[in-house]
């Protein structure tokens, strides 16, 4: 397997070819959320806090459907490597059904009882009253969002990454324009405030989905979506699909519940802390735009190599990604920390909230970098076919360490807000130690295609050779 060596220049070239458009798309999506928060910022900290609480509901929604999206990416990437059109179509059809169910449930709850959803996160009645119109309108966008994510993932997995980027640009422009008109009542339109931002978000979601479908229909690819194959799946396939998706779904849902508990703790802090957290979440999303693009690119590359039977290449791509992505995160957060005053000043925060935000970025500079490393390794496991190990580790650390530590700090001991915030990341170092060893073991490579399964014995022998070389001397390294 002498051709399995991957140099840093070749790694970076391939990563950037896929990652840059995806990262830019993620950045635009994050900017859309930033546009809402910044433009609402002129209405004061209370409005920023209300939109921030609403974004936590959207985060829970994200966690509930992301398991199916992550499972779909696993199958898409590996089937793309094997050029298996039927497998891709069946994956699309099954994922569409499950994600539509999740989107519809959240939409109905958000539209019919927004105060109930907001009341889970905060006991501040004035924040609930201000946020209810926003989440009710955004609720209509939830079913559209899941379908747009599914189409985007399909196009990314088949290496058509530019179309989703163009769609994100168009939707961002629509969001910005409608926000400007409806929040402030320009051109004779009613001055809707927070609700106006929600209308802009809904409209931009509609534009994004329509354009994605158009690109999907007109773009050329050797793999085509066919209705008969999409919904003509067999029971055996559903079993194989759920065996991979359910652990990821459990991971994301339980992670979402854990984050919800943490957000409840934050929601019971003072209003300056809640507003600072809303601004920080936008900044965190900005960081994720870069790192998420790299993560998506790594998933596509690793899944494709595993599906086509090039298992050592998938292994080496994972190891390089788990070094490169945290370096990018540290660089981006470092710049934001240095520029904290002008960046946080965009959100209309008061003096106390600005001070909170500065130290939150400093804490995130260290722990966010570690979290990125953990995340990219877990995503690599999923792309390689292993969905259980990362789930058990992440959920166990979250509920045994991070959640109880944050709850005790904030709700029992009533520690200062920044101390409470720091406890959110207490599980990351332990995860890093465990995942580093598991990544090196190569046990996470579990193909679902015939080509990948057939290459497993040779890969295991290759891995034993690399470990033997490493033990013989410090100068030896995996090819």
């Amino acid at each position: 397997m002498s051709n399995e060596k991957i140099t840093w220049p070749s790694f970076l070239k391939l990563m950037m070819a896929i990652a840059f458009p995806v990262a830019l798309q993620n950045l635009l999506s994050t900017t859309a959320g930033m546009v809402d928060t910044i433009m609402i910022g002129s209405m004061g900290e209370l409005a920023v806090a209300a939109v921030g609480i609403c974004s936590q509901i959207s985060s829970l929604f994200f966690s509930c459907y992301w398991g199916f999206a992550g499972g779909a990416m696993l199958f898409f990437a590996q089937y793309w490597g094997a050029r298996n059109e039927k497998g891709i179509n069946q994956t699309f059809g099954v994922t569409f059904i499950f994600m539509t169910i999740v989107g519809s449930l959240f939409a109905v709850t958000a539209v019919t009882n927004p105060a109930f959803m907001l009341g889970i996160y905060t006991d501040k009645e004035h924040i609930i009253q201000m946020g209810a119109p926003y989440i009710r309108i955004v609720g209509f966008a939830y079913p559209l969002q899941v379908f747009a994510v599914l189409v985007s993932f399909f196009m990314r997995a088949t290496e058509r990454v530019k179309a989703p980027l163009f769609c994100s640009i168009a939707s961002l422009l629509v969001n910005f324009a409608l926000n400007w008109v409806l929040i402030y009542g320009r051109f004779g339109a009613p001055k809707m405030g927070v609700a106006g931002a929600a209308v802009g978000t809904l409209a931009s979601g509609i534009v994004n989905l329509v354009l994605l479908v158009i690109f999907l229909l007109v773009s050329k690819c050797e793999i085509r979506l066919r209705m008969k194959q999409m919904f003509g799946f067999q029971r055996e396939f559903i079993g194989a699909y759920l065996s991979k998706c359910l652990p990821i779904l459990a991971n994301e849902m339980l992670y979402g519940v854990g984050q919800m508990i943490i957000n409840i703790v934050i929601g019971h802090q003072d209003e300056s802390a809640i507003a600072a957290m809303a601004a920080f979440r936008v900044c965190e999303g900005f960081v994720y735009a870069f790192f998420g693009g790299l993560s998506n690119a790594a998933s596509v590359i690793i899944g494709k190599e595993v599906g086509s039977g090039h298992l050592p290449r998938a292994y080496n791509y994972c190891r390089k990604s788990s070094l490169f992505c945290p370096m990018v995160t540290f660089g981006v957060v470092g710049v934001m920390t240095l520029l904290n005053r002008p960046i946080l000043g965009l959100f209309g925060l008061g003096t106390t909230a600005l001070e909170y935000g500065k130290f939150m970025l400093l804490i995130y500079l260290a722990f966010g970098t570690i979290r990125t490393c953990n995340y990219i390794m877990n995503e690599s496991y999923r792309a390689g076919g292993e969905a259980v190990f990362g789930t058990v580790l992440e959920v166990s650390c979250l509920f045994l360490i991070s959640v109880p530590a944050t709850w005790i700090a904030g709700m029992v001991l009533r520690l200062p807000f920044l101390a409470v915030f720091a406890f959110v990341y207490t599980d990351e170092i332990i995860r890093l130690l465990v995942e580093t060893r598991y990544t090196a073991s190569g046990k996470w490579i579990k193909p679902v295609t015939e080509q990948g399964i057939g290459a497993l014995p040779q890969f295991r022998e290759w891995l034993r050779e690399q470990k033997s070389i490493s033990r013989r001397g410090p100068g030896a390294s995996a090819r």
Side-chain angles (χ1 to χ4, degrees), residues 150-197:
L150 178 58
V151 174
S152 293
F153 271 33
F154 168 66
M155 298 189 77
R156 290 178 186 178
T158 51
E159 299 181 49
R160 291 175 286 175
V161 295
K162 292 182 180 179
L165 171 60
F166 295 144
C167 297
S168 294
I169 293 173
S171 64
L172 175 63
L173 293 175
V174 170
N175 190 23
F176 179 82
L178 286 180
N179 276 6
W180 189 73
V181 171
L182 296 177
I183 291 176
Y184 306 114
R186 313 285 186 182
F187 302 116
K191 186 177 181 179
M192 299 176 65
V194 170

Side-chain angles (χ1 to χ4, degrees), residues 189-251:
K191 186 177 181 179
M192 299 176 65
V194 170
V199 172
T201 299
L202 173 59
S204 66
I206 295 172
V207 170
N208 182 46
L209 178 58
V210 170
L211 292 177
L212 275 171
V213 172
I214 292 174
F215 275 112
L216 180 64
L217 294 175
V218 302
S219 62
K220 294 181 179 180
C221 180
E222 58 188 283
I223 301 293
R224 306 291 295 181
L225 291 179
R226 305 182 190 279
M227 194 69 66
K228 186 176 180 180
Q229 290 182 344
M230 284 169 55
F231 299 104
F233 41 79
Q234 299 174 338
R235 184 177 300 176
E236 293 79 8
F237 176 79
I238 298 179
Y241 173 87
L242 290 177
S243 70
K244 300 295 184 182
C245 285
L246 287 181
I248 302 175
L249 180 64
N251 186 171

Side-chain angles (χ1 to χ4, degrees), residues 19 22-31 34 62 65-66 69 149 153 156 252 255 280-297 299 325 328-330 332-333 336 364 368 371-372 375-376 379 382:
V22 176
L24 192 53
Q25 182 195 359
N26 289 345
L27 178 61
L28 292 170
S29 299
T30 302
T31 303
M34 188 181 294
F62 172 88
Y65 75 72
W66 193 252
V149 167
F153 271 33
R156 290 178 186 178
E252 297 301 333
Y255 183 82
F280 170 78
R281 290 299 189 194
V282 174
C283 295
E284 185 182 37
F286 184 84
V287 175
Y288 180 81
F290 289 91
F291 144 68
L294 298 172
S295 174
N296 277 185
S299 295
C325 294
V328 173
T329 298
F330 186 86
V332 174
V333 179
M336 295 179 72
Y364 192 66
R371 172 172 279 190
T372 297
Y375 186 95
I376 194 69
E379 288 294 296
R382 294 174 180 180

